Amino acid sequence: MEKKLLFLSNGRYDLYKVFEEGFKKYSGCEVTTVLYKNYKYKNTWEKVQNFLFKIFLNKNLKKIKASEQNLYGLEEHYDYLVMISAELVLPQHIKKLTQKASHSVAYYWDSFDHIPAAHTIQYFDEAFTFEPKDAKDYNINLITNFYFHEERVTDYDYDLFFLASYDSRYSLIATIATVLEAQNQKVVIKQYAETLPDVTDAPKSVEFIDKHISFNETKELMRKSRIILDIHKDIQRGLSFRVYEAMGLGKKLITTNPDIKGYDFYNPNNIFIWTPETKSIPAEFLNTPYEELPEHIYKKYSQENWVKTLLNIKD
């Protein structure tokens, strides 16, 4: 009989689809996916009731109902439970969910400094994070991100691509764009913001957008570029998906994360580390082709290996 896997996740930016696809392809399980949803009041009385509960009982009924609805319609037993963003589910509901599974796993795709979620670790059989500091501080499993596209192309429309939210990193992004433009590189940078920022001096290669770009669209934009840019956040030490997406697509990478030097796939011919002292990108890096990794290292960071490691599936 086919095993069953229950997967719960935040639906943010459709990133869950990458994990869902991986579980369907490599876990050998029938996969049931539940996305956390906000609760909508059924009537005015519920809204008033929630207000009173918050005032007099320090309880948020809307949050309780939002968490509780993750349990609706589920079967009695699953072989695996995998939860991402477990902090969005109340502890009493996490307990009920883990009781439905023979083996429960939490994966934390944000650092605990960014999203406080460490309090949920205790409810799972195993917990994983991509953030080395969190793995050490909370004694949980360290697992890197992974690549999930492996196409190779030789014709490019531009030299460098970057997509990210508009935030405190903008000044650095603008600097890098300006440097690359001065080196006659064709650059495409898209910065997302719910409200378009009032920036009048942005480099010509920087475009502000107020609509999310799907994963398939992002993949196509990356596929057309020779180089991928990765700007890590100050509170993040683990390597972002961009690093592994570049690996999977056979792209060179410019990154601001110096910790990448400690990984076995680091190759200065493929990866340039931008520092505060950087004034230009070496022509040798820009003008030479990507060097393929040894097969055993390349496969180590595949989506298949990630899924089997998370679920402790042996070949």
Side-chain angles (χ1 to χ4, degrees):
M1 181 180 295
E2 187 177 26
K3 291 185 176 182
K4 295 182 179 181
L5 185 152
L6 177 59
F7 172 48
L8 289 93
S9 177
N10 188 331
R12 183 179 60 182
Y13 308 140
D14 285 346
L15 181 56
Y16 79 92
K17 292 180 180 178
V18 172
F19 293 90
E20 180 184 51
E21 180 182 358
F23 292 135
K24 288 180 176 179
K25 289 173 65 176
Y26 303 119
S27 72
C29 298
E30 174 189 330
V31 178
T32 298
T33 300
V34 174
L35 299 182
Y36 310 130
K37 298 180 179 66
N38 293 324
Y39 182 78
K40 294 182 179 180
Y41 293 118
K42 294 180 179 179
N43 49 51
T44 303
W45 166 239
E46 278 198 346
K47 191 172 184 178
V48 172
Q49 190 179 32
N50 191 36
F51 173 77
L52 295 174
F53 267 64
K54 284 193 287 187
I55 293 296
F56 295 106
L57 299 177
N58 195 30
K59 290 185 177 181
N60 188 328
L61 283 184
K62 187 176 182 180
K63 186 174 181 180
I64 293 171
K65 288 180 179 292
S67 177
E68 188 176 49
Q69 67 187 0
N70 297 308
L71 301 170
Y72 296 165
L74 297 179
E75 297 182 27
E76 289 303 313
H77 179 76
Y78 296 86
D79 296 279
Y80 299 100
L81 166 70
V82 179
M83 290 186 71
I84 292 176
S85 300
E87 73 280 356
L88 298 178
V89 181
L90 295 178
Q92 63 264 36
H93 299 141
I94 296 177
K95 290 179 182 178
K96 289 182 179 180
L97 286 164
T98 56
Q99 288 169 1
K100 290 179 174 290
S102 299
H103 187 71
S104 59
V105 178
Y107 175 62
Y108 300 98
W109 64 9
D110 264 313
S111 69
F112 293 150
D113 285 341
H114 185 217
I115 303 292
H119 65 282
T120 65
I121 294 172
Q122 61 185 301
Y123 302 111
F124 296 91
D125 295 320
E126 285 193 284
F128 292 80
T129 178
F130 83 110
E131 183 59 67
K133 180 178 182 297
D134 291 344
K136 181 179 179 181
D137 290 350
Y138 295 92
N139 193 30
I140 60 177
N141 298 293
L142 178 65
I143 189 170
T144 68
N145 284 315
F146 53 88
Y147 61 82
F148 45 93
H149 297 304
E150 300 182 57
E151 297 89 336
R152 295 289 192 274
V153 297
T154 55
D155 296 327
Y156 308 107
D157 291 349
Y158 33 86
D159 296 299
L160 180 136
F161 172 73
F162 180 67
L163 167 68
S165 298
Y166 174 75
D167 53 30
S168 59
R169 297 173 292 175
Y170 169 71
S171 177
L172 176 56
I173 292 166
T175 297
I176 294 174
T178 300
V179 166
L180 287 164
E181 288 175 3
Q183 293 184 254
N184 297 315
Q185 299 295 297
K186 187 174 182 180
V187 177
V188 174
I189 291 177
K190 296 181 182 293
Q191 295 263 258
Y192 168 78
E194 290 185 5
T195 302
L196 295 179
D198 184 19
V199 178
T200 59
D201 59 348
K204 63 181 182 180
S205 58
V206 175
E207 176 188 5
F208 297 104
I209 57 175
D210 57 4
K211 293 183 179 179
H212 287 297
I213 296 178
S214 71
F215 264 93
N216 285 335
E217 291 176 286
T218 303
K219 171 197 166 186
E220 186 62 19
L221 288 164
M222 288 193 294
R223 191 182 67 81
K224 294 177 179 179
S225 181
R226 289 195 307 111
I227 303 169
I228 303 299
L229 177 61
D230 169 58
I231 311 289
H232 79 292
K233 296 179 180 178
D234 290 340
I235 58 174
Q236 170 196 322
R237 304 314 305 177
L239 304 185
S240 74
F241 264 109
R242 286 290 179 263
V243 172
Y244 301 97
E245 288 170 323
M247 181 191 302
L249 293 171
K251 308 287 187 184
K252 290 201 171 190
L253 179 77
I254 297 174
T255 180
T256 58
N257 193 335
D259 290 357
I260 202 169
K261 279 188 175 181
Y263 288 76
D264 55 5
F265 59 80
Y266 174 70
N267 178 346
N269 295 317
N270 290 339
I271 300 171
F272 178 81
I273 301 173
W274 182 282
T275 70
E277 290 72 41
T278 300
K279 302 300 180 185
S280 66
I281 307 294
E284 182 179 1
F285 178 83
L286 295 174
N287 298 329
T288 54
Y290 177 86
E291 294 183 7
E292 293 289 348
L293 296 171
E295 186 71 9
H296 71 283
I297 292 179
Y298 181 69
K299 292 299 183 184
K300 177 180 176 180
Y301 298 99
S302 67
Q303 184 182 46
E304 178 179 6
N305 190 54
W306 188 92
V307 169
K308 291 181 176 179
T309 299
L310 192 83
L311 301 179
N312 194 27
I313 296 173
K314 306 298 183 183
D315 289 326

